[in-house]
Amino acid sequence: MRKFLGLGLLTIWLLGCSGLNFMGYRVAPNYPKDKDRSSQLEGLHYPVTIILDDVGVPHIKAANELDLLRAVGYMHGRDRFFQMDLLRRMARGRVSELLGEQPMQGQTTVDLDRTMRGWGFDAAADQEAAAMDDELWSRMAAYVDGVNQGLARKRPIEYRLLRIRPEPWQVSDSLAVGLLTAFSITHNWKQETFRLLLALEGGIQRMEALYPATPWPGMTSIELTNEEHPLPPSVVAGVAELFPPQLYQELDGEVVAGFESDPLMASAASDGWVIGGDHTVSGMPILAVALGGCFDIELQVPIVT
């Protein structure tokens, strides 16, 4: 009898919690409602029209550039701020503040933060923002103001689940994310590191045979115009000291070069693809989009028609 009574009380408690959560969701849903709605966006010189098509893509029409930038920022802050915040935290080495120490591509978020702080994007973004001319600052500020107004209208569900309040967006945050994006699609530094390691282990001639600076026959690339020089021993020894201890591993009595997994180079590019309704269980097409470039954040979204 006690077991049945305990089970009944537990069921009532669960239903009560579920009911309260459901009512809270209905009162303050985790998504914006925009169908046939007008909003007062502060700072506009003229009215701006934002039309959301059937799949939720916004189309913005504005009379001038500043109004357009403010409206674009508003939509970003309303719909994508958590992603923006993660990118900002990656650039500034602050991911662990939000998520704690979590595993990430064979390392941890703390390792990522240390790496990004070492690259110095945080300080570089602040310096660029301080040196910005008035005209560019006004454009950036209009976008930032729109982002923060969009964020103020609806706190994203991720922050509600984490029970924290996000920090407002700043002009320097946009620059930090820009530096991160440029870094993530610039792979030459890593390729040059591989070529250096090959030269350290097998010599310059073998390195050129395995990983030449000139393109393969039939391929195109930037022509090598500088005079060729061998790698000076002083540079090789100095650069080798910069690599972590795990760079060199003993294998069959020979020292070989190797890298552990790199959290910043998990994949090489973004992608997107669509599956037609003829190949899905629901009969509706599915759109898959990779967000965040080399950070490999993928969302699969059903297309509603």
Side-chain angles (χ1 to χ4, degrees):
M1 183 65 181
R2 291 182 178 179
K3 292 183 178 180
F4 287 107
L5 180 59
L7 182 60
L9 292 175
L10 178 61
T11 303
I12 294 174
W13 180 77
L14 290 174
L15 290 175
C17 291
S18 301
L20 289 175
N21 288 330
F22 177 77
M23 292 301 297
Y25 176 81
R26 296 300 297 176
V27 173
N30 296 316
Y31 62 92
K33 295 181 179 180
D34 289 298
K35 190 177 180 74
D36 301 328
R37 175 179 174 182
S38 296
S39 298
Q40 186 66 34
L41 185 60
E42 297 181 3
L44 294 178
H45 298 87
Y46 300 97
V48 173
T49 301
I50 303 177
I51 300 175
L52 299 177
D53 60 21
D54 293 338
V55 294
V57 177
H59 303 263
I60 305 175
K61 183 177 181 180
N64 57 70
E65 187 177 40
L66 290 179
D67 286 350
L68 177 62
L69 289 170
R70 185 168 273 104
V72 170
Y74 172 79
M75 296 303 295
H76 285 174
R78 191 202 72 151
D79 292 340
R80 307 190 67 174
F81 190 84
F82 187 72
Q83 179 197 5
M84 294 169 62
D85 190 19
L86 282 181
L87 293 175
R88 167 176 63 178
R89 289 177 178 275
M90 286 181 180
R92 294 188 179 275
R94 297 181 55 194
V95 176
S96 301
E97 291 181 8
L98 182 68
L99 304 177
E101 186 170 8
Q102 303 291 339
M104 182 178 183
Q105 298 294 332
Q107 301 188 39
T108 69
T109 51
V110 173
D111 295 325
L112 171 67
D113 288 342
R114 288 172 177 167
T115 300
M116 298 314 300
R117 293 189 184 193
W119 282 108
F121 295 159
D122 187 28
D126 293 339
Q127 292 173 2
E128 289 188 19
M132 193 177 298
D133 60 64
D134 294 340
E135 183 178 1
L136 181 56
W137 178 269
S138 64
R139 291 188 174 94
M140 297 288 290
Y143 171 79
V144 168
D145 178 63
V147 170
N148 289 326
Q149 287 195 57
L151 176 63
R153 301 288 175 88
K154 179 61 63 176
R155 185 163 53 128
I157 183 175
E158 293 87 351
Y159 298 104
R160 296 173 65 176
L161 294 175
L162 293 171
R163 297 183 180 180
I164 62 174
R165 291 194 173 275
E167 299 176 6
W169 197 255
Q170 303 180 55
V171 169
S172 60
D173 292 332
S174 296
L175 299 176
V177 173
L179 291 171
L180 177 67
T181 302
F183 174 81
S184 67
I185 61 175
T186 304
H187 309 299
N188 179 259
W189 67 270
K190 194 167 187 178
Q191 296 179 33
E192 290 301 323
T193 301
F194 287 144
R195 299 180 77 244
L196 172 63
L197 295 176
L198 288 172
L200 284 171
E201 298 300 335
I204 297 175
Q205 293 182 349
R206 295 182 67 182
M207 178 269 292
E208 286 291 349
L210 294 171
Y211 203 152
T214 56
W216 292 90
M219 305 291 288
T220 58
S221 180
I222 300 176
E223 294 183 2
L224 181 62
T225 57
N226 295 329
E227 184 179 354
E228 296 184 13
H229 295 282
L231 294 174
S234 59
V235 173
V236 171
V239 173
E241 294 177 357
L242 299 178
F243 293 118
Q246 64 267 28
L247 180 63
Y248 299 101
Q249 301 172 354
E250 293 291 337
L251 182 62
D252 295 333
E254 297 181 0
V255 179
V256 297
F259 275 107
E260 289 192 350
S261 60
D262 188 343
L264 295 179
M265 295 296 171
S267 58
S270 300
D271 58 27
W273 47 266
V274 176
I275 298 178
D278 295 339
H279 304 285
T280 63
V281 175
S282 65
M284 304 295 291
I286 295 179
L287 168 66
V289 181
L291 305 176
C294 67
F295 301 108
D296 199 20
I297 305 172
E298 184 172 282
L299 299 178
Q300 295 185 12
V301 183
I303 302 176
V304 180
T305 58

